[in-house]
């Protein structure tokens, strides 16, 4: 366009610098659209501008409206299954399903993904050897804890980056969660329990985070991520982990003792905020104290039923009504997860070995992995056109399960029990990945229904949904008297999310044929986001040392007010009230 205009001075002068150029299709880009989709026919956004009678045909015939991956066709559902006048009902159902997906993500990460991760790290002797412990416990904190807490965020970022049309969601979510955590959660901790921050860890984390935001600024300005930049993100995270370990070591040396009391990163704290849930450990309704002294041999069937009951009746009776309501929502998810994901618990004597259930897991976990990989594309594939892959997996896994059942006993976990931790890790990762894929698809659908850009959906719904668990656990930790711990966890976690989320998300997209990921900073909003995150970090970087690291109520109120202001600006930008000509 510009070259043609240069030859026509009158036209070139008449067009203001930022005027949207009309594309070949004859309409301007919507705030979330990208030029890529316009080569292949109309943007899916156009659907709401048509007559309601044409909606279904438009969705069915337009290649831009195909959702990649995922088990449900949300666009077809909303525009073809529901008649146009029932659109509000469809949107309400989608909103409830969206909430439920967040519940699935949080339950899987908290009760299945994290325990298996810590079991694996125990098996790799990452934390229990005392001489090594002083060095590896910060490592454990920055890698394993961060990965456990950030799993939903990273998986949804990887899924969103896999399609250029939803990359805005990933950027919105990573930045949005960053602004949310550094303002609302950090401010909330200071409000709940004013405290003195650990000076060096705080400065270290904020400086690393500022570097990460700066790199992202550069990348957004260039509009693409090449292999070097993606590896740079991951390399910066490795450098961060090494810095944390080194800092801890220097700190210990200065204190002059090999094993100091736990520093800000170490897992000597209430990791699980609720009371630890005896999910099926007690036989029936009796707790530990009512167990018979001599361990009676329980039948396999009783072990199976006890292990599969996600409810503890005494706890249920004690709890308030809202806890029971939330628990009732979680029970179906927990039941399906208990059936498909083995959990190894290094803290228990029997390592949570349930012979009948673990043998069943060999079958269910392997089937789950095959059927959720690429949304079942591999699992339903017919070998030679006759025998499906899932059938073969069922046969092999059943044989294996039978062998293990015959060769083990109910009381004693086998030598190779740690393999179940890897199996559980894999199965829970597949669950999180499947839920994240559905999440990204449903958010894209919501964007098309309401004509919103992906970035704004990422920075609101996706960022809030992924941060809600961290928010509650950090605030509860602060209330229980660990505000410093919560504060450093809140910065450590989002450094992991931005560096690993963007780095891994883009790295997995790069193929030999196309070694770069295009980032279309599709609107002013991305710049507002990155700017807000940078500003909030600079604000903390300047004001926290100025208050001699004593964070009180005033700091908390300022941060929360800042977030509300940012949200207003972001929404006004999205609805084109604020715009640069």
């Amino acid at each position: 366009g510009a070259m043609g205009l240069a030859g026509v001075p009158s036209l070139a002068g008449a067009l203001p610098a930022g005027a949207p150029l009309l594309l070949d299709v004859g309409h301007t880009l919507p705030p979330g659209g990208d030029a890529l989709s316009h080569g292949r026919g109309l943007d899916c956004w156009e659907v709401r501008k048509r007559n309601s009678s044409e909606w279904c045909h438009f969705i069915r015939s337009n290649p831009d409206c195909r959702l990649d991956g995922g088990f449900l066709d949300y666009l077809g559902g909303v525009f073809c299954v529901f008649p146009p006048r029932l659109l509000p009902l469809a949107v309400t159902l989608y909103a409830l399903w969206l909430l439920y997906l967040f519940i699935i993500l949080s339950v899987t990460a908290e009760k299945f993904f994290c325990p298996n991760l810590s079991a694996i790290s125990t098996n790799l002797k990452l934390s229990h050897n005392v001489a090594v412990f002083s060095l590896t416990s910060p490592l454990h904190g920055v890698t394993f804890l961060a990965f456990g807490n950030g799993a939903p965020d990273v998986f949804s970022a990887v899924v969103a980056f896999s399609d250029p049309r939803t990359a805005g969601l990933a950027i919105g979510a990573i930045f949005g969660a960053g602004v949310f955590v550094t303002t609302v959660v950090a401010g909330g901790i200071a409000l709940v329990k004013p405290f003195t921050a650990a000076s060096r860890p705080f400065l270290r984390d904020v400086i690393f985070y500022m570097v990460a935001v700066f790199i992202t600024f550069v990348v957004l300005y260039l509009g693409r991520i090449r292999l070097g930049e993606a590896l740079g993100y991951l390399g910066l995270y490795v450098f961060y982990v090494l810095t944390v370990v080194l800092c801890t070591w220097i700190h210990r040396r200065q204190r002059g003792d090999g094993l100091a009391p736990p520093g800000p990163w170490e897992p000597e704290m209430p990791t699980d905020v609720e009371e630890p849930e005896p999910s099926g450990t007690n036989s029936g309704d009796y707790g530990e104290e009512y167990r018979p002294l001599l361990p009676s041999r329980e039948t396999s069937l009783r072990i199976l039923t006890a292990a599969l009951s996600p409810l503890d009746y005494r706890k249920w009776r004690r709890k308030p009504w809202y806890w029971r309501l939330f628990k009732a929502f979680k029970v179906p998810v927990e039941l399906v997860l208990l059936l498909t994901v083995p959990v190894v618990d290094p803290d228990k004597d029997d390592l949570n070995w349930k012979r009948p259930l673990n043998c069943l897991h060999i079958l269910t976990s392997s089937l789950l992995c095959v059927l959720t990989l690429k949304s079942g594309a591999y699992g339903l594939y017919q070998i030679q056109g006759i025998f499906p892959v899932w059938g073969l997996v069922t046969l092999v896994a059943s044989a294996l399960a039978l062998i293990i059942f015959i060769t083990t006993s109910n009381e004693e976990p086998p030598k190779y029990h740690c393999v179940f931790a890897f199996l559980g890790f894999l199965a829970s990762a597949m669950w999180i990945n499947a839920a994240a894929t559905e999440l990204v698809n449903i958010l894209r659908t919501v964007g098309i229904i309401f004509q919103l850009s992906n970035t704004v959906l990422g920075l609101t719904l996706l960022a809030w949904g992924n941060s809600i668990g961290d928010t509650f656990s950090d605030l509860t930790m602060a209330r229980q008297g660990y505000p410093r711990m919560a504060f450093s966890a809140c910065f450590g976690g989002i450094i992991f999310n931005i560096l690993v989320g963007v780095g891994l998300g883009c790295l997995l997209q790069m193929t030999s044929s196309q070694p770069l990921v295009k980032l279309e900073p599709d609107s002013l909003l991305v710049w507002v986001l990155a700017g807000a995150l940078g500003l909030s970090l600079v604000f903390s970087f300047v004001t926290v040392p100025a208050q001699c690291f004593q964070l009180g109520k005033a700091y908390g109120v300022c941060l929360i007010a800042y977030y509300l202001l940012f949200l207003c600006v972001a929404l006004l930008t999205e609805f084109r009230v604020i715009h640069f000509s």
Side-chain angles (χ1 to χ4, degrees):
M3 282 177 67
L5 289 174
V8 191
S10 58
L11 254 176
L15 266 175
L21 284 174
L22 292 174
L23 277 120
D24 52 341
V25 191
H27 60 265
T28 54
L29 281 176
D34 54 354
L36 291 174
S37 49
H38 289 267
R40 321 184 284 262
L42 287 173
D43 195 301
C44 203
W45 270 60
E46 298 296 302
V47 66
R48 287 301 298 276
K49 297 177 184 162
R50 304 296 175 100
N51 277 338
S52 54
S53 55
E54 296 175 20
W55 283 354
C56 188
H57 175 68
F58 184 86
I59 292 287
R60 290 264 188 266
S61 59
N62 194 347
D64 188 48
C65 294
R66 288 210 189 96
L67 296 172
D68 291 341
F71 292 94
L72 299 170
D73 179 15
Y74 296 106
L75 278 169
V78 91
F79 290 114
C80 296
V81 177
F82 286 90
R85 61 175 187 284
L86 285 184
L87 192 66
L89 172 67
V91 172
T92 315
L93 289 176
Y94 277 15
L96 292 172
W97 174 231
L98 188 68
L99 280 175
Y100 206 64
L101 280 170
F102 281 125
I103 293 179
I104 294 176
L105 276 175
S106 70
V107 169
T108 315
E110 180 196 354
K111 297 235 169 88
F112 295 86
F113 191 77
C114 291
N116 280 319
L117 252 184
S118 66
I120 289 173
S121 72
T122 309
N123 273 318
L124 300 177
K125 294 286 180 289
L126 276 183
S127 56
H128 279 243
N129 178 341
V130 173
V132 185
F133 179 68
S134 57
L135 276 189
T136 54
S137 59
L139 185 71
H140 184 93
V142 208
T143 50
F144 282 88
L145 265 113
F147 189 38
N149 296 336
D153 312 65
V154 171
F155 274 103
S156 31
V158 169
V159 171
F161 272 124
S162 67
D163 184 349
R165 292 169 300 185
T166 51
L169 265 178
I171 290 174
I174 287 173
F175 277 125
V179 181
F180 182 78
V181 171
T182 50
T183 56
V184 175
V185 182
I189 294 170
L191 276 175
V192 166
K193 197 153 187 121
F195 67 105
T196 307
S199 54
R200 272 186 300 190
F202 171 76
L203 293 175
R204 173 194 70 209
D205 287 353
V206 173
I207 288 170
F208 264 100
Y209 203 25
M210 288 207 272
V211 172
V213 175
F214 177 72
I215 295 180
T216 315
F217 253 122
V218 175
V219 162
L220 282 174
Y221 179 72
L222 295 173
R224 51 155 181 69
I225 288 189
R226 290 225 168 98
L227 186 64
E229 281 109 348
L231 291 175
Y233 271 105
L234 295 171
L236 186 62
Y237 189 68
V238 172
F239 183 52
Y240 170 69
V241 171
L242 293 175
T243 314
V244 171
V245 173
L246 192 69
C247 282
T248 315
W249 185 70
I250 292 170
H251 187 58
R252 296 275 161 76
R253 284 292 298 271
Q254 284 179 348
R255 297 269 287 269
D257 47 326
L259 271 174
W265 253 119
E266 281 153 53
E268 190 189 294
M269 49 132 192
T271 38
D272 203 352
V273 177
E274 300 179 19
E275 310 149 50
E277 271 195 34
S279 51
T281 43
N282 23 8
S283 45
D285 207 347
Y286 309 112
E288 296 286 331
E289 60 268 37
Y290 302 120
R291 279 262 177 88
L293 289 173
L294 291 170
S296 60
R297 291 189 156 241
E298 288 188 345
T299 61
S300 295
L301 194 64
R302 276 206 56 190
I303 293 179
L304 188 64
T305 49
L308 280 179
S309 70
L311 277 178
D312 174 19
Y313 300 104
R314 284 176 310 146
K315 191 172 175 185
W316 175 265
R317 285 204 293 270
R318 284 203 312 271
K319 291 287 186 181
W321 64 271
Y322 53 85
W323 185 89
R324 294 184 190 187
L325 186 69
F326 186 55
K327 184 70 177 172
F329 276 115
K330 287 191 336 191
V331 161
V333 182
E334 286 180 3
L335 195 64
V336 174
L337 285 165
L338 281 171
L339 266 172
T340 50
V341 183
V343 177
V344 176
D345 189 349
D347 299 335
K348 287 183 188 156
D349 295 337
D350 63 348
L351 302 176
N352 203 15
W353 165 249
K354 306 267 182 291
R355 175 173 158 226
L357 184 59
N358 284 140
C359 291
L360 185 64
H361 279 152
I362 292 177
L363 176 60
T364 51
S365 292
S366 41
L367 269 180
L368 172 90
C369 291
V370 168
L371 290 175
T372 51
L373 196 68
K374 289 274 186 206
S375 308
Y378 293 121
L380 303 174
Y381 175 75
Q382 309 262 340
I383 303 169
Q384 302 266 314
I386 17 179
F387 198 63
V389 172
W390 64 265
L392 181 69
V393 171
T394 309
L395 286 176
V396 174
S398 305
L400 199 61
L402 200 64
I403 294 167
I404 289 178
F405 189 76
I406 294 167
T407 55
T408 52
S409 72
N410 283 340
E411 288 76 32
E412 192 63 29
K415 294 266 193 298
Y416 48 83
H417 189 213
C418 61
V419 176
F420 281 93
F422 285 97
L423 184 64
F425 172 77
L426 192 67
S428 49
M430 295 306 287
W431 267 114
I432 292 177
N433 188 39
T437 309
E438 297 300 317
L439 200 62
V440 168
N441 282 345
I442 200 169
L443 283 174
R444 179 159 184 254
T445 308
V446 169
I448 288 169
I449 296 171
F450 289 116
Q451 304 275 293
L452 293 169
S453 73
N454 282 327
T455 316
V456 84
L457 288 169
L459 84 94
T460 51
L461 295 176
L462 195 53
W464 294 336
N466 281 339
S467 311
I468 207 109
D470 298 356
T471 310
F472 280 124
S473 60
D474 284 348
L475 289 178
T476 314
M477 217 191 284
R479 241 188 245 112
Q480 290 176 345
Y482 298 91
R484 290 174 74 161
M485 179 92 221
F487 196 67
S488 63
C490 114
F491 276 94
I494 51 178
I495 293 177
F496 177 83
N497 289 359
I498 190 170
L499 291 175
V500 178
V502 179
L504 199 64
C506 293
L507 198 63
L508 293 177
Q509 279 333 106
M510 290 178 192
T511 50
S512 48
S513 57
Q514 196 192 9
L516 80 160
V517 174
K518 278 199 175 66
L519 297 177
E520 308 267 335
D522 46 22
S523 60
L524 182 62
L525 189 58
V526 178
W527 296 106
V528 171
L529 250 178
L533 183 53
L535 256 177
S536 105
L537 289 173
V538 171
F539 174 73
S540 284
F541 188 62
V542 173
T543 52
V544 173
Q547 303 169 61
C548 302
F549 295 95
Q550 287 177 352
L551 308 182
K553 294 227 176 353
Y555 174 73
V557 172
C558 283
L559 283 182
I560 289 168
Y562 177 87
Y563 185 73
L564 295 173
L565 178 72
F566 152 73
L567 211 54
C568 293
V569 173
L571 293 174
L572 290 174
T573 311
E574 166 68 17
F575 296 119
R576 296 299 172 94
V577 181
I578 299 178
H579 56 86
F580 294 142
S581 58

